[in-house]
Amino acid sequence: AWALYSYNADTFWDVQAGVRYDNRPASVAYFVTGVTGLMPFFVETEAHAFVSDEGDVSARLHLECDWLLTQKLIAQPYFEINAFAQEVKELEIGSGLSDTKLGLQLRYEITRKFAPYIAVEYERLYGDTADYAHRRGEDSGDSTIKAGVRLLF
């Protein structure tokens, strides 16, 4: 769960600050600061830095872009990268680049506020984070297929 205050700093950019709470695999609270906005070629960008209640520092960059196939059918490729300043053994995350995600969502907007979708995603773990996964008997790369409904309110 995230709770952010957003301030419009420029025409297409907001500066944000707030808190984030994760309860899996362990309960961790974070202070969050970052920016969100629209880069050239309509690439939606989110860049955030996190400091946990234990003092662990991490960062996330998320990029996505909407491609209109028709007026209602939209393909949305996305890319996300996560990095940590230090190893967090409780969460089994190594320092440096921890993971990347590359995905494609295909949605049909029945209305702007209601859109069923299907998504294909590939996630890859790196470094010590991948080593933790191997010790648990998991692969460092994994593909998933998701289906759901996007609701705006």
Side-chain angles (χ1 to χ4, degrees):
W2 296 44
L4 298 174
Y5 173 77
S6 191
Y7 175 77
N8 185 248
D10 197 16
T11 304
F12 297 108
W13 291 94
D14 288 353
V15 176
Q16 298 177 323
V19 293
R20 174 182 137 201
Y21 178 75
D22 292 344
N23 63 353
R24 289 187 187 165
S27 294
V28 182
Y30 299 89
F31 169 73
V32 181
T33 185
V35 295
T36 182
L38 194 62
M39 289 195 323
F41 303 105
F42 303 102
V43 176
E44 294 180 37
T45 305
E46 296 177 9
H48 291 95
F50 308 94
V51 179
S52 76
D53 52 5
E54 299 292 323
D56 301 322
V57 178
S58 60
R60 172 183 297 154
L61 174 66
H62 181 90
L63 306 170
E64 63 186 42
C65 185
D66 286 350
W67 294 339
L68 274 64
L69 304 176
T70 68
Q71 289 293 328
K72 294 188 175 270
L73 186 62
I74 300 164
Q76 183 183 64
Y78 58 92
F79 175 75
E80 183 176 300
I81 186 168
N82 291 289
F84 286 76
Q86 66 283 320
E87 183 176 28
V88 184
K89 291 185 180 184
E90 300 81 32
L91 302 176
E92 295 185 340
I93 297 173
S95 63
L97 177 63
S98 67
D99 67 274
T100 58
K101 291 179 185 174
L102 181 63
L104 178 66
Q105 181 188 91
L106 185 64
R107 71 178 179 272
Y108 186 81
E109 291 186 346
I110 295 170
T111 68
R112 180 85 172 115
K113 295 183 177 187
F114 182 80
Y117 69 85
I118 187 165
V120 177
E121 181 178 275
Y122 178 73
E123 181 177 11
R124 175 94 175 140
L125 304 175
Y126 300 96
D128 292 338
T129 306
D131 293 340
Y132 281 121
H134 289 298
R135 283 187 220 129
R136 291 190 308 265
E138 299 173 4
D139 291 332
S140 58
D142 192 19
S143 297
T144 57
I145 297 175
K146 301 175 184 180
V149 176
R150 177 178 163 167
L151 299 171
L152 297 177
F153 54 93

